[in-house]
Amino acid sequence: MVRLANDDRTRAHRALAMALVAALVAGAGGAQAPGDSAARAMARALALLEAGRGEEGEAALESLVASFPDHGPAHFQLGRLALERGAAAAAREHLAAAVALPLPRPYLAWHLLARAEARLGRPEAARRAWEEAARLAARALADRPGDPQALRVAVAAGEARGDWWAALEGYGQLLSQLPRAPALLAGAARAALELGAHEAAACLATRALAATPEDPALHHLLARARLAAGDPAAAAAASRRALELGAAGAAVELTLGRALFETMDTGAAIAAYRRALERDPRALAAVPDVALAALGADDDAALRELLAAVLAADPGNASALYGLGLAAARDGDLAAARTLLERLVDVAPDDSRARYNLARVYARQGEVELGRAAMETFERLQAAEDELWLERNAAFRSRLEAEALAGSAPLDALAIYSELAAGGLAEAGDFLAAGGLVLGLGDNDAAAAWFERILEGKPYHPAALAGLVEARERAGRHDEAKLVRRRLELVAGICAAQSPVSR
């Protein structure tokens, strides 16, 4: 996946790093230092760091831990400095020592240790460190609600673990203290976007831009939110503004291309996709087949060059293998076409197009048995695709029948929805309708299960959340209902815009 470098995320990390230094400076005096000489040495080292004399400050810290190996804050500072200069192994060594020693705010050290472990390619160790950072930050917040350092760590831990509800809640509390901070608004917008709260994400990105209107990354964030919210025209405008302001990389062009395709401005969309591929051939994975076909029709040689660059960087890229395989077959280079398409069926064995074109290549080479086997596989895959298409058509008709029966025969309608769910053909609306029917029949726990199925794929689905609140309240599970209601209120209120939630 191609991603634009996120400047506001970088600023957020930098702000957090500055907060860590400030917290340790404030807390060093209360740490369990080995003695007055250690306390004086620590104060001197921190003063040097604060004055911008980093090398001298680091040397003073090294001297301190040489004399007092159990000085937790000194190990923390050395770990932080090592992490900043990219020395992840040294950072891990000091931070692992720090978390085992007395510290004024241990969640800060666990937070940096998680980042060091991630940079060293140790995802399981990073996960454990993030969990401990989150646990300790939650404990600190229970004692000191609103503590900004603990909130920042809780947010970072939530983002790292993919717990976007925790991240958004943390951002909401931070924004109550700093309502116009662009980095916080942008972070909250990203979390809202991950949850599927597209309107809230757009609102937050717009507020961030009010503070820093010349930030291209924020314009791209707004474009992504507008596109997800179903406003491609606004997404295209925001993408163009990001490019005017100097946005680098392929991601903005990809967003622009998608937005322009949705507004039916096909020529401009193709041009945007071309620019994306020129900036980064790996963007190919995000370009739809119809756009690739148009690119090839416009300039086949340029497209082949791009596909070759993609394949050199990613030998298993299915789109590149398919495009180059077809091109070789058109040129009559059957050996090259065969090699490419055989590689493709190894990568994507269920790709019916690959099997069909490989069968044709075999036939042209006189490989009758291989051609027959490939065509038989194609026919089997095509039959499965046709069957799925028929199943989806039947599901559509069943859905209409269930909707018609819901008022007069709810049990019959529920049976249809259950069949759709069992066959893997149910959509969010089916789960929602079934949950409402079951709720009306008085089975609150079963209704909750239907609503939760929606939330597995769409964490922010207002109607499903509202239905789950009602089901939990009716079942007497008021604490669970309170948690779900808080999530609804969080999204509705985080951009200071009250929006009614209806089922």
Side-chain angles (χ1 to χ4, degrees), residues 18 40-41 68 146 152 273 321 329 403 411 489 498:
M18 293 175 64
R40 288 194 299 271
F68 302 98
R152 287 177 183 270
Y273 281 129
L321 288 168
E403 290 172 2
L411 289 175
E489 294 169 350
Q498 299 300 319

Side-chain angles (χ1 to χ4, degrees), residues 321-477:
L321 288 168
Y322 183 71
L324 291 173
L326 289 190
R330 287 196 302 270
D331 292 344
D333 188 349
L334 300 181
R338 175 174 176 168
T339 298
L340 289 161
L341 292 171
E342 285 178 341
R343 286 169 58 187
L344 176 57
V345 298
D346 287 339
V347 171
D350 294 333
D351 188 325
S352 60
R353 299 177 310 165
R355 298 285 182 175
Y356 174 77
N357 284 285
L358 184 57
R360 294 183 63 192
V361 169
Y362 285 147
R364 290 171 67 184
Q365 287 183 318
E367 299 276 8
V368 177
E369 291 303 320
L370 288 175
R372 181 181 295 116
M375 187 58 72
E376 287 175 356
T377 303
F378 160 73
E379 291 171 351
R380 176 175 54 79
L381 293 171
Q382 188 65 53
E385 291 172 7
D386 292 344
E387 184 178 351
L388 180 59
W389 185 83
L390 291 173
E391 285 180 353
R392 287 175 177 165
N393 268 357
F396 176 74
R397 293 193 297 272
S398 295
R399 190 171 293 116
L400 294 178
E401 182 182 359
E403 290 172 2
L405 291 171
S408 58
L411 289 175
D412 292 339
L414 185 59
I416 294 174
Y417 288 127
S418 297
E419 288 176 4
L420 290 173
L425 297 168
E427 299 175 353
D430 301 325
F431 289 111
L432 189 66
L437 289 172
V438 176
L439 199 60
L441 294 170
D443 192 340
N444 301 316
D445 288 339
W450 282 100
F451 296 130
E452 285 171 338
R453 288 285 296 277
I454 301 173
L455 299 174
E456 290 172 4
K458 298 181 178 181
Y460 179 70
H461 189 293
L465 288 168
L468 185 56
V469 168
E470 186 174 352
R472 293 306 188 203
E473 287 285 10
R474 289 190 183 187
R477 300 183 180 182

